[in-house]
Amino acid sequence: MKWYERLLVALIALSALAMWLPWVWHRAAALVLTGLDLHEFIRFMGEVRTGQVRASALPLCAPLLVQALTLAGIAGCSHWTVYGKGTALALAAWLVAVIYPPLEQPKVLATIWLLLLAAFVAMVFIHPAACFRVALLAIAGLAASVPPLVQFLVLLPALDRLYGRPVTVGVGFYLEAAAGLGCLVVGLAAGAVCRPGRHFSAAAAIRQG
């Protein structure tokens, strides 16, 4: 992997990490909301349940889902050992299970796990060129960061009303924004220096016999 690919992967990981950090900060620890807390919290917000505020938990899941998909894809097209690939897939499966607990949503969890496996197998056979990988990673980074940021901004007025005063936006939100901006900048910069070239493809090797 090129340095800019590694940087994009790190930014996507940073995007996922931001979900464990506070998005709503309060001096009282019980009123602090992390990104993962918001994923559950909005389901019980009165304005969301009555339809006054259009919100969904899915955009807030984007960083972890994209991180899981990225891990599966990288494991498929990398030259890691079997143990390395297995560890990456296990971590990807765990990230999805954080959002969709096995005992609560087993069908959804199983479906996403199958998609991760499909991404892994696809990358094994396609083994895309560096330029294509950069494009995929940059798009993945934006797909991880933009949905939760937009969803949070939509929810912010309702959160202000719920808390009875303007809430203090936590570090998780800003870290998510930084990760998304970083993916955009690095993706554009890498696209400027990346040059299409020949690359090994397992599928091509099979066709050639």
Side-chain angles (χ1 to χ4, degrees), residues 78-89:
S78 70
H79 297 292
W80 295 345
T81 64
V82 173
Y83 297 106
K85 292 176 184 289
T87 301
L89 285 174

Side-chain angles (χ1 to χ4, degrees), residues 15 20 44 50 80 90 109 126 129-130 146-147 155 183 186 190 203:
S15 172
W20 273 277
F44 303 100
T50 58
W80 295 345
L109 181 63
I126 297 173
V146 173
L155 287 168
C183 284
V186 174

Side-chain angles (χ1 to χ4, degrees), residues 26-183:
H26 198 279
R27 285 178 296 178
L31 297 178
V32 174
L33 294 176
T34 66
L36 289 178
D37 291 334
L38 278 171
H39 165 250
E40 295 291 336
F41 187 76
I42 64 171
R43 299 178 183 179
F44 303 100
M45 291 178 63
E47 292 185 44
V48 174
R49 297 181 69 178
T50 58
Q52 293 174 277
V53 176
R54 292 191 176 184
S56 169
L58 185 59
L60 296 169
C61 302
L64 298 188
L65 291 175
V66 171
Q67 176 63 60
L69 191 60
T70 301
L71 279 171
I74 290 174
C77 65
S78 70
H79 297 292
W80 295 345
T81 64
V82 173
Y83 297 106
K85 292 176 184 289
T87 301
L89 285 174
L91 182 56
W94 174 76
L95 286 171
V96 178
V98 169
I99 308 168
Y100 301 106
L103 296 179
E104 294 180 15
Q105 296 173 295
K107 292 183 179 179
V108 176
L109 181 63
T111 301
I112 298 177
W113 278 353
L114 286 175
L115 289 175
L116 293 179
L117 185 59
F120 172 78
V121 173
M123 289 298 104
V124 168
F125 284 93
I126 297 173
H127 204 87
C131 290
F132 187 62
R133 291 198 303 268
V134 166
L136 284 178
L137 287 170
I139 292 170
L142 292 174
S145 296
V146 173
L149 292 173
V150 172
Q151 185 67 95
F152 181 76
L153 292 175
V154 169
L155 287 168
L156 197 53
L159 288 169
D160 290 342
R161 290 189 289 271
L162 188 62
Y163 276 70
R165 65 174 193 175
V167 299
T168 301
V169 178
V171 66
F173 174 85
Y174 296 110
L175 194 62
E176 191 71 60
L181 181 61
C183 284

